[in-house]
Amino acid sequence: MTPHAHHLLLPVGVLGAVAIASAGDIRFTDVTNECGVSFQCDPPPVSQMNGTHRWGGLAAGDFDRDGFVDLFAPGAGGDHDTLYLNDGNGGFVDVSEAWGLTDLHLGNGCSVGDLDQDGWLDIMVASAGDPDVQGGEPGRYRLYRNLEGAGFADIAASAGVREVTNGDANQAPLFATFGDYDLDGDLDLLFGTWHPGNGGNRIYRNDGTGVFTDVSEELGFDDEFATTLGYSANVIDMDGDLHPEILWVGDYNTSHYFRNNTDGTFTNLRDQNGTCIEGWGMGQAVFDYNLDGRLDWYVSSITYDDPFDDSHNGNTLYQQIIDHLYADLALPASVLDGGWSWATVAADLDQDGHEDLVVTNGNRFDDEFANRREKVFQNLGNGSFLNATQLSELELACEAMSVVAFDLERDGDLDLAFICNEGRLRVYRNDSIDAGRWLQVDLRGDPDQGIAPDGMQTRVEVRCGSRLHVRYADGRPSYASSGPQGLHFGLGESEVIDELRVFWANGSVTELLNVPVDQFLVIEPPLTGPPGDLDGDGMIDGADLTILLGLWGSGDPGGDIDGNGLVEGNDLAILLGQWSPSG
């Protein structure tokens, strides 16, 4: 692949500043009441849903595009879906009624993304329908199209995603995840449910206008999903070839690791690459925990205190050794025991340059886990983590199902929000002591160039001295939760970022040098010429032909002009048809 490199010199700082770890004490303050949040997750009785007790979705995103992150919580039957707009002063305003969120339904997992490329974030909600119907109803999912920051319209029926399950809904739909798995510049949808018999684990392709088609069978996933008890999914490039893998976490040893073959097909590596060994997989977080430039995969599960119970083998931390080959280091890294772990999120809470982990915890139907606290694992930067839960003063002890890390006050650090099953939405402000420097990157998309909205499926690397920080725009999905879209970097004591590189999904690269720290940075995709201008110089000539021929037969998006997943004759015909060596 020959990327389109773009250099920008910023006359600030001194090139070559070295980042030195400066880990502070992680501290949180419960600000739920003072920020105006009162949402209560009130699901139907367990008997009404035939034993289902998994309720509590949460999503974060800037729905009115004012620069501040808002919160959305599905109603779970006892209340309507609730949207809290951030007022910019550390508080929220409930605008649910004004935005048209008045119906009662059994909403659960949700995801945020701009489905129609109009610049506004939409929300997909997995739902089991009418809360008064015994066992729930199939075919009641909701897709809220954002009406330019003024309200929502449910377009699930016209978009083709109203009825995802194909029968019995007696197990609640658990997640919906946006991601551009085929790199065509629009966001596709992944759905999951704990009950495999209702066909609720599916992949839907976006046709570019916000209308979706079930392609699970076409992709060869039907057999894989036949016994999958899905809890969360992620679309993310694990090996740096730009083509995203699909990581599907499931209960009872039903997780999957689908490697992208770059030709429109996937191969399941679950029994070949050291992953998917967790017994009760639920949530997930992908991050580079040891700063070696390779993305690692953390999966939350269940750990019993009984040392002889080897079926509940705890959380897993899959460190990527080489491309698609992993070793589980959860035990030596001290992140194996999260209790009854639901969702998890990776976030640099003390901004020392190493991402920490937050894990929700609890099961009110099991005495051992009825009042367990959430876990905060502080990354020490030496391959291990410190259980900083008590020190952090995060005193939430409920059956917390979902968690998001977001910047409440736009002050540069990451705060936390949780949803408790049969409990409240809780907001915790980050008041960490001696926290390091930071950077937040907000990406823009360009569907015409094959870059999805908000830069989804884009990799960003930040280098400070010898230290490399990697983030990936995946929408931060976990159990029943997602968002926000911005990429947050903790930078320790670094005074300047030596180099920032953005590897866009279409193969182009943006490079910034001497970037100031402690700022919000918006990055637009680089402009390219007409179809066939592979080197981005505004002309289609011999240099572009050389690039295309070098990629011949591959699925590299840098030469796949027509977007069909393969560099072949049609791409050559397009290039030659645009031939313009004179500009």
Side-chain angles (χ1 to χ4, degrees):
M1 177 179 61
T2 302
H4 309 157
H6 298 260
H7 300 266
L8 176 64
L9 295 175
L10 302 178
V12 292
V14 178
L15 190 66
V18 177
I20 301 174
S22 178
D25 291 335
I26 296 174
R27 293 285 194 280
F28 286 100
T29 302
D30 187 345
V31 294
T32 303
N33 293 329
E34 65 187 74
C35 72
V37 170
S38 59
F39 174 83
Q40 180 91 8
C41 179
D42 185 18
V46 171
S47 59
Q48 181 174 323
M49 290 302 294
N50 302 326
T52 293
H53 61 93
R54 308 168 186 87
W55 299 98
L58 183 62
D62 184 5
F63 298 106
D64 57 357
R65 292 297 194 187
D66 66 349
F68 290 87
V69 179
D70 314 305
L71 295 176
F72 170 86
D79 198 356
H80 55 69
D81 296 344
T82 298
L83 175 64
Y84 287 108
L85 291 185
N86 194 317
D87 65 9
N89 295 307
F92 293 96
V93 178
D94 185 346
V95 297
S96 308
E97 185 174 349
W99 280 55
L101 302 175
T102 58
D103 295 343
L104 296 182
H105 72 106
L106 290 166
N108 202 7
C110 52
S111 186
V112 174
D114 180 3
L115 71 97
D116 51 5
Q117 304 95 44
D118 66 351
W120 299 92
L121 290 174
D122 311 298
I123 306 176
M124 186 74 224
V125 185
S127 175
D130 190 330
D132 294 327
V133 174
Q134 178 70 32
E137 301 174 286
R140 293 294 184 268
Y141 284 40
R142 291 172 176 246
L143 177 54
Y144 293 128
R145 182 174 182 267
N146 192 328
L147 304 177
E148 299 183 351
F152 286 125
D154 181 8
I155 63 166
S158 61
V161 288
R162 172 74 77 208
E163 185 166 359
V164 173
T165 58
N166 57 18
D168 181 12
N170 68 358
Q171 296 289 349
L174 291 178
F175 72 80
T177 299
F178 280 110
D180 185 10
Y181 80 88
D182 54 1
L183 297 180
D184 62 355
D186 54 48
L187 295 179
D188 311 298
L189 276 166
L190 290 69
F191 296 100
T193 179
W194 190 86
H195 193 278
N198 67 9
N201 292 286
R202 316 299 298 166
I203 298 177
Y204 278 69
R205 182 169 58 216
N206 191 334
D207 70 358
T209 66
V211 176
F212 296 84
T213 302
D214 185 351
V215 294
S216 309
E217 184 176 1
E218 175 185 325
L219 292 174
F221 282 27
D222 263 5
D223 289 343
E224 309 286 3
F225 288 157
T227 58
T228 297
L229 288 76
Y231 269 139
S232 63
N234 197 356
V235 180
I236 187 164
D237 173 21
M238 298 299 290
D239 61 0
D241 68 351
L242 298 182
H243 296 271
E245 278 63 53
I246 296 177
L247 309 183
W248 208 283
V249 172
D251 206 357
Y252 286 86
N253 297 106
T254 61
S255 294
H256 304 288
Y257 183 110
F258 297 108
R259 183 190 64 201
N260 194 320
N261 297 326
T262 76
D263 61 359
T265 66
F266 293 82
T267 298
N268 194 350
L269 300 182
R270 59 161 282 133
D271 297 321
Q272 307 170 40
N273 70 342
T275 65
C276 306
I277 63 173
E278 71 283 344
W280 311 83
M282 290 185 274
Q284 61 176 302
V286 177
F287 69 125
D288 179 13
Y289 94 95
N290 58 348
L291 303 189
D292 65 354
R294 296 183 182 275
L295 292 177
D296 310 303
W297 187 25
Y298 186 67
V299 179
S300 54
S301 186
I302 302 173
T303 311
Y304 272 98
D305 290 339
D306 182 356
F308 299 103
D309 182 0
D310 57 4
S311 64
H312 296 82
N313 56 356
N315 303 338
T316 51
L317 175 59
Y318 300 120
Q319 179 184 335
Q320 189 167 191
I321 308 302
I322 59 174
D323 289 352
H324 305 300
L325 183 63
Y326 298 81
D328 177 20
L329 300 183
L331 181 59
S334 300
V335 291
L336 181 145
D337 187 0
W340 193 293
S341 305
W342 296 100
T344 182
V345 66
D348 192 349
L349 301 173
D350 54 2
Q351 298 176 172
D352 66 345
H354 303 277
E355 287 188 277
D356 313 296
L357 289 166
V358 179
V359 184
T360 66
N361 187 9
N363 183 349
R364 65 189 186 280
F365 298 102
D366 189 314
D367 291 341
E368 184 172 328
F369 301 100
N371 295 300
R372 290 286 188 95
R373 292 172 63 175
E374 279 46 62
K375 294 293 182 72
V376 177
F377 294 119
Q378 184 176 21
N379 192 332
L380 299 178
N382 60 2
S384 65
F385 292 75
L386 170 70
N387 186 344
T389 305
Q390 184 171 354
L391 186 65
S392 73
E393 300 180 9
L394 186 67
E395 297 180 350
L396 182 65
C398 67
E399 189 178 47
M401 309 299 286
S402 299
V403 59
V404 294
F406 72 110
D407 189 348
L408 167 65
E409 304 157 301
R410 200 171 165 84
D411 60 356
D413 61 19
L414 292 178
D415 311 290
L416 298 173
F418 298 85
I419 285 285
C420 296
N421 193 356
E422 292 192 4
R424 295 185 64 183
L425 166 60
R426 304 282 290 273
V427 179
Y428 284 83
R429 185 182 64 218
N430 190 335
D431 291 327
S432 294
I433 301 170
D434 296 326
R437 315 304 287 267
W438 58 274
L439 174 75
Q440 177 165 308
V441 175
D442 290 290
L443 302 171
R444 296 293 181 259
D446 188 344
D448 291 338
Q449 296 190 65
I451 300 172
D454 297 290
M456 287 282 280
Q457 318 317 144
T458 296
R459 177 184 172 105
V460 179
E461 296 182 354
V462 166
R463 187 179 298 279
C464 299
S466 60
R467 180 179 289 182
L468 178 68
H469 308 274
V470 176
R471 301 290 186 273
Y472 188 89
D474 61 349
R476 317 298 280 177
S478 191
Y479 176 86
S481 54
S482 73
Q485 286 63 50
L487 304 180
H488 175 269
F489 294 82
L491 301 172
E493 297 180 359
S494 296
E495 297 294 334
V496 68
I497 295 166
D498 298 337
E499 181 182 38
L500 184 154
R501 293 198 296 170
V502 182
F503 297 88
W504 301 95
N506 68 349
S508 58
V509 179
T510 297
E511 185 175 4
L512 308 177
L513 305 177
N514 259 9
V515 180
V517 299
D518 297 344
Q519 67 158 320
F520 294 88
L521 184 63
V522 177
I523 304 179
E524 302 274 355
L527 295 176
T528 61
D533 181 19
L534 303 185
D535 61 3
D537 66 355
M539 299 183 295
I540 300 178
D541 53 18
D544 303 300
L545 178 60
T546 299
I547 293 172
L548 186 140
L549 294 177
L551 299 173
W552 194 266
S554 75
D556 197 304
D560 181 20
I561 302 172
D562 64 359
N564 72 345
L566 188 65
V567 181
E568 37 73 57
N570 194 44
D571 302 303
L572 177 60
I574 294 173
L575 187 149
L576 295 177
Q578 297 286 328
W579 194 265
S580 57
S582 59

